[in-house]
Coordinates of all heavy atoms in Angstrom, one line a residue:
G214 N 57.2 8.0 -65.3 CA 55.9 7.7 -65.9 C 55.3 9.0 -66.5 O 54.7 9.0 -67.6
T215 N 55.4 10.1 -65.7 CA 54.9 11.4 -66.2 C 55.6 11.8 -67.5 O 55.1 12.5 -68.3 CB 54.9 12.5 -65.2 OG1 56.3 12.7 -64.8 CG2 54.2 12.1 -63.9
G216 N 56.9 11.5 -67.6 CA 57.7 11.9 -68.7 C 57.4 11.1 -70.0 O 57.1 11.6 -71.0
F217 N 57.6 9.7 -69.9 CA 57.5 8.9 -71.0 C 56.0 8.6 -71.4 O 55.7 8.6 -72.6 CB 58.2 7.6 -70.8 CG 59.7 7.7 -70.9 CD1 60.5 7.6 -69.7 CD2 60.4 8.0 -72.1 CE1 61.8 7.8 -69.8 CE2 61.7 8.1 -72.1 CZ 62.5 8.0 -71.0
I218 N 55.1 8.4 -70.4 CA 53.8 8.1 -70.7 C 52.9 9.3 -70.9 O 52.3 9.5 -72.0 CB 53.2 7.2 -69.6 CG1 54.0 5.9 -69.5 CG2 51.7 6.8 -69.9 CD1 53.6 5.0 -68.4
H219 N 52.8 10.1 -69.8 CA 51.9 11.3 -69.9 C 52.3 12.4 -70.8 O 51.5 13.2 -71.3 CB 51.8 11.9 -68.5 CG 51.0 11.0 -67.5 ND1 51.7 10.2 -66.6 CD2 49.7 10.8 -67.3 CE1 50.8 9.5 -65.9 NE2 49.6 9.9 -66.3
T220 N 53.6 12.4 -71.1 CA 54.1 13.5 -72.0 C 54.4 13.0 -73.4 O 53.8 13.4 -74.3 CB 55.4 14.2 -71.4 OG1 55.2 14.5 -70.0 CG2 55.7 15.5 -72.2
G221 N 55.3 12.0 -73.5 CA 55.7 11.5 -74.8 C 54.6 10.8 -75.5 O 54.1 11.2 -76.6
F222 N 54.1 9.7 -74.9 CA 53.0 8.9 -75.6 C 51.7 9.7 -75.7 O 51.1 9.7 -76.8 CB 52.8 7.6 -74.8 CG 51.8 6.7 -75.3 CD1 52.0 6.1 -76.6 CD2 50.7 6.4 -74.6 CE1 51.1 5.3 -77.1 CE2 49.7 5.5 -75.2 CZ 49.9 5.0 -76.4
V223 N 51.3 10.3 -74.6 CA 50.0 11.0 -74.6 C 50.0 12.2 -75.7 O 49.0 12.3 -76.4 CB 49.6 11.5 -73.2 CG1 48.5 12.5 -73.3 CG2 49.2 10.4 -72.4
Y224 N 51.0 13.0 -75.7 CA 51.0 14.1 -76.5 C 51.2 13.8 -78.0 O 50.7 14.5 -78.9 CB 52.0 15.2 -76.1 CG 51.4 16.1 -75.0 CD1 51.4 15.7 -73.7 CD2 50.8 17.2 -75.4 CE1 50.8 16.5 -72.7 CE2 50.2 18.1 -74.4 CZ 50.2 17.7 -73.1 OH 49.5 18.4 -72.2
Y225 N 51.9 12.6 -78.3 CA 51.9 12.1 -79.6 C 50.5 11.8 -80.1 O 50.0 12.2 -81.2 CB 52.8 10.9 -79.8 CG 52.5 10.1 -81.0 CD1 52.9 10.7 -82.3 CD2 51.8 8.9 -81.0 CE1 52.6 10.0 -83.4 CE2 51.6 8.2 -82.2 CZ 51.9 8.8 -83.4 OH 51.6 8.1 -84.5
L226 N 49.7 11.0 -79.2 CA 48.4 10.7 -79.6 C 47.5 11.9 -79.7 O 46.7 12.0 -80.6 CB 47.8 9.8 -78.5 CG 48.3 8.3 -78.4 CD1 47.6 7.6 -77.2 CD2 48.2 7.6 -79.7
F227 N 47.7 12.9 -78.8 CA 46.8 14.1 -78.8 C 47.0 14.9 -80.1 O 46.0 15.1 -80.8 CB 47.2 14.9 -77.6 CG 46.4 16.2 -77.5 CD1 45.2 16.2 -77.0 CD2 47.0 17.4 -77.9 CE1 44.5 17.4 -76.9 CE2 46.3 18.6 -77.8 CZ 45.0 18.6 -77.3
F228 N 48.2 15.2 -80.5 CA 48.4 16.0 -81.7 C 48.2 15.2 -83.0 O 47.9 15.8 -84.0 CB 49.8 16.6 -81.6 CG 50.0 17.7 -80.7 CD1 50.7 17.6 -79.5 CD2 49.3 18.9 -80.8 CE1 50.8 18.6 -78.6 CE2 49.4 20.0 -79.9 CZ 50.2 19.8 -78.8
D229 N 48.3 13.9 -82.9 CA 48.1 13.0 -84.1 C 46.6 12.9 -84.4 O 46.2 12.6 -85.5 CB 48.7 11.7 -83.9 CG 48.7 10.8 -85.2 OD1 49.2 11.4 -86.2 OD2 48.3 9.7 -85.2
S230 N 45.8 13.2 -83.3 CA 44.3 13.0 -83.5 C 43.6 14.3 -83.7 O 42.6 14.3 -84.6 CB 43.8 12.3 -82.3 OG 44.0 13.0 -81.1
I231 N 43.9 15.4 -83.0 CA 43.0 16.5 -83.1 C 43.0 17.2 -84.4 O 42.0 17.9 -84.8 CB 43.4 17.6 -82.0 CG1 44.8 18.1 -82.2 CG2 43.3 17.0 -80.6 CD1 45.2 19.3 -81.3
R232 N 44.1 17.0 -85.2 CA 44.1 17.7 -86.5 C 43.1 17.0 -87.5 O 42.7 17.6 -88.5 CB 45.5 17.6 -87.1 CG 46.0 16.3 -87.5 CD 47.4 16.3 -88.2 NE 48.4 16.9 -87.3 CZ 49.6 17.2 -87.7 NH1 50.0 17.0 -88.9 NH2 50.5 17.7 -86.8
D233 N 42.6 15.8 -87.2 CA 41.7 15.1 -88.1 C 40.3 15.1 -87.5 O 39.4 14.5 -88.1 CB 42.1 13.6 -88.2 CG 43.5 13.5 -88.9 OD1 43.8 14.3 -89.8 OD2 44.3 12.6 -88.4
L234 N 40.0 15.8 -86.4 CA 38.7 15.8 -85.8 C 38.1 17.2 -85.8 O 38.9 18.2 -85.6 CB 38.8 15.2 -84.4 CG 39.2 13.8 -84.3 CD1 39.4 13.4 -82.8 CD2 38.1 12.9 -84.9
P235 N 36.8 17.3 -85.9 CA 36.2 18.7 -85.7 C 36.4 19.2 -84.3 O 36.5 18.4 -83.4 CB 34.7 18.4 -86.0 CG 34.7 17.0 -86.7 CD 35.9 16.3 -86.2
T236 N 36.3 20.5 -84.2 CA 36.5 21.1 -82.9 C 35.5 20.7 -81.8 O 35.8 20.5 -80.7 CB 36.5 22.7 -83.0 OG1 37.4 23.1 -84.0 CG2 36.7 23.3 -81.7
V237 N 34.3 20.4 -82.3 CA 33.2 20.0 -81.4 C 33.5 18.6 -80.8 O 33.4 18.4 -79.6 CB 31.8 19.9 -82.1 CG1 30.8 19.3 -81.2 CG2 31.4 21.3 -82.5
I238 N 34.0 17.7 -81.6 CA 34.4 16.4 -81.1 C 35.5 16.4 -80.2 O 35.5 15.8 -79.1 CB 34.7 15.4 -82.3 CG1 33.5 15.3 -83.2 CG2 35.2 14.1 -81.8 CD1 32.3 14.6 -82.6
V239 N 36.5 17.2 -80.5 CA 37.7 17.4 -79.6 C 37.2 18.0 -78.3 O 37.6 17.5 -77.2 CB 38.7 18.3 -80.2 CG1 39.8 18.7 -79.2 CG2 39.3 17.7 -81.5
S240 N 36.3 19.0 -78.3 CA 35.9 19.6 -77.1 C 35.1 18.6 -76.2 O 35.2 18.7 -74.9 CB 35.0 20.8 -77.4 OG 35.7 21.8 -78.2
V241 N 34.4 17.7 -76.8 CA 33.7 16.7 -76.0 C 34.6 15.6 -75.4 O 34.5 15.3 -74.2 CB 32.6 16.0 -76.9 CG1 32.0 14.8 -76.1 CG2 31.5 17.0 -77.3
L242 N 35.5 15.1 -76.2 CA 36.4 14.0 -75.8 C 37.4 14.4 -74.7 O 37.8 13.6 -73.9 CB 37.1 13.4 -77.0 CG 36.3 12.6 -78.0 CD1 37.1 12.0 -79.1 CD2 35.5 11.5 -77.2
V243 N 37.7 15.7 -74.7 CA 38.7 16.2 -73.6 C 38.0 16.0 -72.2 O 38.7 16.1 -71.2 CB 39.1 17.6 -73.8 CG1 40.0 17.7 -75.1 CG2 38.0 18.6 -73.8

Side-chain angles (χ1 to χ4, degrees):
T215 62
F217 287 107
I218 299 174
H219 290 97
T220 313
F222 182 61
V223 165
Y224 274 85
Y225 163 70
L226 291 179
F227 179 79
F228 287 111
D229 192 46
S230 59
I231 64 171
R232 66 176 64 187
D233 299 322
L234 296 172
T236 302
V237 171
I238 298 298
V239 173
S240 299
V241 172
L242 290 180
V243 294

